[in-house]
Protein backbone atom coordinates (compact mmCIF):
# COMPACT_ATOMS: atom_id res chain seq x y z
CA UNK A 1 0.00 0.00 0.00
CA UNK A 2 1.31 3.43 -0.96
CA UNK A 3 2.23 5.97 1.70
CA UNK A 4 2.23 8.85 -0.79
CA UNK A 5 -0.10 11.44 0.81
CA UNK A 6 -1.64 12.21 -2.59
CA UNK A 7 -2.64 8.55 -2.94
CA UNK A 8 -3.72 8.14 0.69
CA UNK A 9 -5.79 11.34 0.42
CA UNK A 10 -7.36 10.12 -2.84
CA UNK A 11 -6.06 13.13 -4.78
CA UNK A 12 -4.53 10.61 -7.16
CA UNK A 13 -7.63 8.79 -8.26
CA UNK A 14 -10.31 11.42 -7.65
CA UNK A 15 -8.57 14.31 -9.45
CA UNK A 16 -5.32 13.16 -11.03
CA UNK A 17 -3.93 10.06 -12.63
CA UNK A 18 -0.61 8.86 -11.20
CA UNK A 19 2.27 11.17 -12.15
CA UNK A 20 5.91 11.64 -11.27
CA UNK A 21 6.69 14.76 -9.25
CA UNK A 22 9.45 16.63 -11.04
CA UNK A 23 9.21 20.17 -9.65
CA UNK A 24 9.32 21.57 -6.12
CA UNK A 25 6.09 23.43 -5.35
CA UNK A 26 5.75 25.36 -2.09
CA UNK A 27 2.40 26.76 -0.94
CA UNK A 28 2.57 29.19 1.98
CA UNK A 29 -0.39 30.53 3.93
CA UNK A 30 0.58 33.27 6.38
CA UNK A 31 4.27 32.42 5.78
CA UNK A 32 3.76 28.80 6.87
CA UNK A 33 4.46 26.07 4.34
CA UNK A 34 1.55 23.77 3.56
CA UNK A 35 2.20 20.09 4.27
CA UNK A 36 0.18 17.46 2.37
CA UNK A 37 -2.90 16.44 4.33
CA UNK A 38 -2.66 19.17 6.96
CA UNK A 39 -5.87 20.65 8.33
CA UNK A 40 -6.48 24.38 8.07
CA UNK A 41 -9.44 26.53 9.07
CA UNK A 42 -11.18 28.89 6.64
CA UNK A 43 -9.79 31.88 8.55
CA UNK A 44 -6.24 30.58 7.90
CA UNK A 45 -6.81 30.36 4.12
CA UNK A 46 -8.91 33.48 3.60
CA UNK A 47 -6.12 35.24 1.72
CA UNK A 48 -4.37 34.06 -1.41
CA UNK A 49 -1.34 31.93 -0.58
CA UNK A 50 2.19 32.55 -1.76
CA UNK A 51 3.16 30.00 -4.40
CA UNK A 52 6.86 29.28 -4.99
CA UNK A 53 8.20 27.18 -7.86
CA UNK A 54 11.80 26.06 -7.47
CA UNK A 55 14.23 26.02 -10.37
CA UNK A 56 16.66 28.24 -12.18
CA UNK A 57 15.25 28.60 -15.70
CA UNK A 58 12.69 31.40 -15.90
CA UNK A 59 11.88 30.34 -19.48
CA UNK A 60 10.10 27.25 -18.09
CA UNK A 61 6.46 28.17 -17.50
CA UNK A 62 3.79 26.59 -15.32
CA UNK A 63 0.04 26.65 -14.77
CA UNK A 64 -1.48 26.39 -11.29
CA UNK A 65 -4.97 25.09 -10.57
CA UNK A 66 -6.67 24.98 -7.14
CA UNK A 67 -9.78 22.83 -6.82
CA UNK A 68 -12.16 21.41 -4.20
CA UNK A 69 -13.18 17.88 -5.23
CA UNK A 70 -15.61 17.62 -2.29
CA UNK A 71 -18.03 20.43 -3.14
CA UNK A 72 -20.66 20.97 -1.85
CA UNK A 73 -20.14 18.06 0.57
CA UNK A 74 -17.78 15.08 0.65
CA UNK A 75 -20.71 12.66 0.83
CA UNK A 76 -22.40 14.23 -2.20
CA UNK A 77 -19.79 16.07 -4.32
CA UNK A 78 -22.17 17.16 -7.09
CA UNK A 79 -19.98 20.19 -7.92
CA UNK A 80 -16.77 18.11 -8.15
CA UNK A 81 -14.40 19.81 -8.84
CA UNK A 82 -15.00 23.40 -7.73
CA UNK A 83 -12.37 25.74 -9.21
CA UNK A 84 -10.89 28.13 -6.65
CA UNK A 85 -7.94 29.55 -8.60
CA UNK A 86 -6.28 29.36 -12.03
CA UNK A 87 -2.97 31.04 -12.90
CA UNK A 88 -0.98 30.50 -16.11
CA UNK A 89 2.44 31.55 -17.41
CA UNK A 90 4.21 31.35 -14.03
CA UNK A 91 7.98 31.42 -14.66
CA UNK A 92 10.13 28.84 -12.89
CA UNK A 93 12.05 30.21 -9.90
CA UNK A 94 9.34 32.81 -9.19
CA UNK A 95 5.94 33.04 -7.53
CA UNK A 96 2.39 32.96 -8.88
CA UNK A 97 2.27 36.77 -8.75
CA UNK A 98 4.42 36.75 -11.91
CA UNK A 99 1.81 34.68 -13.76
CA UNK A 100 -1.43 35.51 -15.53
CA UNK A 101 -4.43 35.11 -13.20
CA UNK A 102 -7.22 33.64 -15.34
CA UNK A 103 -9.61 32.89 -12.44
CA UNK A 104 -9.15 34.89 -9.24
CA UNK A 105 -8.55 33.24 -5.87
CA UNK A 106 -11.73 32.33 -4.00
CA UNK A 107 -11.11 31.42 -0.38
CA UNK A 108 -12.36 28.04 0.85
CA UNK A 109 -15.64 28.13 2.77
CA UNK A 110 -16.78 24.53 3.24
CA UNK A 111 -20.30 24.15 4.63
CA UNK A 112 -20.45 20.42 5.36
CA UNK A 113 -17.80 17.86 6.21
CA UNK A 114 -14.06 17.98 5.63
CA UNK A 115 -13.05 19.15 2.16
CA UNK A 116 -9.76 18.58 0.36
CA UNK A 117 -8.32 21.62 -1.40
CA UNK A 118 -5.79 20.66 -4.03
CA UNK A 119 -3.11 22.70 -5.78
CA UNK A 120 -1.91 21.12 -9.04
CA UNK A 121 1.08 22.50 -10.93
CA UNK A 122 1.32 21.78 -14.66
CA UNK A 123 4.27 22.35 -16.98
CA UNK A 124 3.40 24.48 -20.00
CA UNK A 125 4.85 23.74 -23.40
CA UNK A 126 4.53 27.28 -24.78
CA UNK A 127 4.20 30.81 -23.45
CA UNK A 128 1.05 32.87 -23.77
CA UNK A 129 -1.22 30.21 -25.20
CA UNK A 130 -4.78 31.34 -24.61
CA UNK A 131 -6.64 29.69 -21.77
CA UNK A 132 -10.17 30.94 -21.38
CA UNK A 133 -11.76 31.32 -17.99
CA UNK A 134 -14.49 28.73 -17.63
CA UNK A 135 -18.03 30.10 -17.53
CA UNK A 136 -18.47 28.76 -14.00
CA UNK A 137 -16.37 27.37 -11.18
CA UNK A 138 -18.45 24.27 -10.36
CA UNK A 139 -17.75 20.97 -12.16
CA UNK A 140 -14.30 21.94 -13.37
CA UNK A 141 -12.37 18.82 -14.39
CA UNK A 142 -8.61 18.81 -13.86
CA UNK A 143 -8.06 15.78 -16.13
CA UNK A 144 -10.07 17.37 -18.96
CA UNK A 145 -8.23 20.67 -18.48
CA UNK A 146 -4.89 18.84 -18.66
CA UNK A 147 -5.87 17.08 -21.88
CA UNK A 148 -7.48 20.12 -23.54
CA UNK A 149 -4.52 22.43 -22.95
CA UNK A 150 -1.78 19.78 -23.19
CA UNK A 151 -0.63 20.33 -19.61
CA UNK A 152 1.15 17.63 -17.63
CA UNK A 153 1.11 17.59 -13.82
CA UNK A 154 4.54 17.98 -12.23
CA UNK A 155 3.58 18.65 -8.59
CA UNK A 156 0.57 18.73 -6.29
CA UNK A 157 -0.17 19.49 -2.66
CA UNK A 158 -3.43 19.46 -0.70
CA UNK A 159 -4.92 20.41 2.64
CA UNK A 160 -8.11 19.56 4.47
CA UNK A 161 -10.55 22.22 5.63
CA UNK A 162 -13.92 22.29 7.39
CA UNK A 163 -16.26 24.94 8.74
CA UNK A 164 -14.59 27.17 11.30
CA UNK A 165 -16.59 25.56 14.12
CA UNK A 166 -17.03 22.21 12.38
CA UNK A 167 -16.88 18.84 14.04
CA UNK A 168 -16.59 15.25 12.87
CA UNK A 169 -13.93 13.82 10.62
CA UNK A 170 -13.19 12.34 7.24
CA UNK A 171 -14.43 8.81 6.81
CA UNK A 172 -11.98 6.30 5.44
CA UNK A 173 -13.30 4.52 2.37
Amino acid sequence: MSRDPLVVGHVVGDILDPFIKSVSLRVLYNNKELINGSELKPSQVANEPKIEIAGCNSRNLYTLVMVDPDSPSPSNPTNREYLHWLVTDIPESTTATYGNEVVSYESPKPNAGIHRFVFVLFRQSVSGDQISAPGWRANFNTRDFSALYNRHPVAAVFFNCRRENGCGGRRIR
Side-chain angles (χ1 to χ4, degrees):
M1 179 166 189
S2 176
R3 293 191 181 273
D4 179 345
L6 296 173
V7 173
V8 173
H10 299 283
V11 170
V12 171
D14 287 350
I15 301 164
L16 296 169
D17 293 325
F19 70 97
I20 296 172
K21 179 183 175 187
S22 58
V23 173
S24 176
L25 168 66
R26 292 182 67 212
V27 178
L28 297 101
Y29 278 105
N30 304 311
N31 294 317
K32 293 182 184 171
E33 185 171 0
L34 183 65
I35 305 298
N36 266 322
S38 57
E39 185 157 331
L40 299 174
K41 295 180 179 182
S43 59
Q44 295 174 292
V45 295
N47 297 318
E48 183 179 297
K50 182 177 182 182
I51 304 294
E52 295 178 349
I53 302 168
C56 56
N57 187 347
S58 61
R59 285 178 274 165
N60 290 337
L61 298 176
Y62 297 90
T63 295
L64 179 78
V65 170
M66 178 187 177
V67 295
D68 173 3
D70 302 313
S71 179
S73 74
S75 60
N76 188 26
T78 56
N79 290 338
R80 176 176 286 169
E81 303 154 26
Y82 188 88
L83 180 64
H84 279 266
W85 202 17
L86 174 58
V87 183
T88 64
D89 302 321
I90 307 168
E92 187 173 276
S93 77
T94 68
T95 65
T97 56
Y98 289 91
N100 174 33
E101 189 174 66
V102 177
V103 175
S104 63
Y105 180 79
E106 182 178 311
S107 62
K109 295 180 183 93
N111 290 321
I114 298 174
H115 291 238
R116 296 164 293 166
F117 291 88
V118 183
F119 294 89
V120 181
L121 188 68
F122 297 94
R123 185 178 310 274
Q124 288 180 216
S125 54
V126 295
S127 167
D129 54 342
Q130 292 299 313
I131 291 184
S132 301
W136 50 88
R137 291 177 183 254
N139 301 118
F140 181 83
N141 187 298
T142 301
R143 284 186 181 99
D144 289 351
F145 173 84
S146 176
L148 179 64
Y149 292 107
N150 193 29
R151 302 281 196 271
H152 305 288
V154 293
V157 65
F158 79 102
F159 66 93
N160 296 308
C161 187
R162 62 174 133 193
R163 279 191 340 240
E164 201 71 36
N165 298 318
C167 60
R170 177 170 295 286
R171 292 195 172 111
I172 304 297
R173 295 185 212 182

